[in-house]
Amino acid sequence: RKLLNPRDDDTNSKGGIPMYRGNFGRYNFDGRGPNGTPQSLRVGQVSSVISLPRAGDQAIHADTPHLFELYDCLPCHYANLFILGDDGTNISAPDQLGMLDEDGNFRGDNPVGGTAFVHGSHKLTVTARLTGGHEGEAPNYHSLSTAESNRQRAKDEMHMRIIRPSLVMGDALIFDTRVLHFGLANQSETKCRPMLYVNLTHSWFNDPKNWDDEQSIFEKKI
């Protein structure tokens, strides 16, 4: 709840009064007034995602946009909690792989893959700088134009910012859905990678694209 409800308790520069005391509109919503308690969250239904054997890396993406583009980063309004359902520790010998992929990247110490994140990409300025994109050879900044050099540096910085958490079955991970991320390749020939997840949002936020509460995938019973 603290992730979605950060609070500034510093009173030294505010006349001895914490800022949350000014949130007077809370009387109108929950009746408790500006007492600084965490505001209500919406906990979504438990769902699952499965990565099939030999599935490749997922395209890099963010699950939700920023609410406003005037500020570099407002507090989190939409988080995702997932739990790894299988870490591939019991796969057969032909599926055993090293800790690095074919490009020399740490694969999360998990032969069935996991999820990779771009550190700091919850900030607009960071993602704007990183997503210029440039298809090119190994960097040679002195031989590139200024624009090309900037794109190459952005690509290199993106690569350096990618982290691949080392998780085992049952581990839980929570992240801000504005963060750039992607599912890692499942290098196993035989094992799927199941993952349970649940969405956490402020009570006033609705995700109509990924979650349409008005339309069921199941046949209605009369």
Side-chain angles (χ1 to χ4, degrees), residues 80-219:
N80 180 273
L81 169 69
F82 72 73
I83 299 176
L84 186 64
D86 194 328
D87 56 14
T89 54
N90 296 320
I91 62 177
S92 58
D95 274 343
Q96 293 289 350
L97 297 164
M99 294 176 62
L100 304 180
D101 64 16
E102 59 186 11
D103 295 321
N105 299 313
F106 176 62
R107 61 169 88 248
D109 196 21
N110 187 339
V112 296
T115 303
F117 301 90
V118 180
H119 175 69
S121 60
H122 60 297
K123 296 181 178 180
L124 287 170
T125 52
V126 173
T127 296
R129 186 172 69 249
L130 296 180
T131 53
H134 178 66
E135 298 295 330
E137 303 298 327
N140 181 1
Y141 301 122
H142 298 295
S143 63
L144 299 175
S145 68
T146 300
E148 290 175 325
S149 179
N150 288 340
R151 286 194 293 268
Q152 185 62 57
R153 290 179 189 276
K155 183 178 179 180
D156 294 342
E157 182 183 352
M158 172 80 82
H159 187 82
M160 289 187 292
R161 282 179 175 269
I162 292 175
I163 58 174
R164 300 167 175 83
S166 179
L167 305 178
V168 298
M169 185 169 59
D171 280 351
L173 187 149
I174 186 169
F175 68 97
D176 186 325
T177 57
R178 296 171 296 181
V179 171
L180 296 177
H181 61 283
F182 60 96
L184 294 170
N186 182 349
Q187 301 289 339
S188 171
E189 298 282 354
T190 59
K191 292 280 283 187
C192 293
R193 181 178 79 241
M195 183 181 73
L196 296 176
Y197 72 94
V198 62
N199 294 321
L200 310 170
T201 70
H202 275 289
S203 59
W204 44 262
F205 181 81
N206 182 47
D207 180 358
K209 179 179 184 295
N210 297 306
W211 295 94
D212 184 356
D213 295 336
E214 303 301 321
Q215 184 174 353
S216 174
I217 64 173
F218 300 104
E219 181 181 356

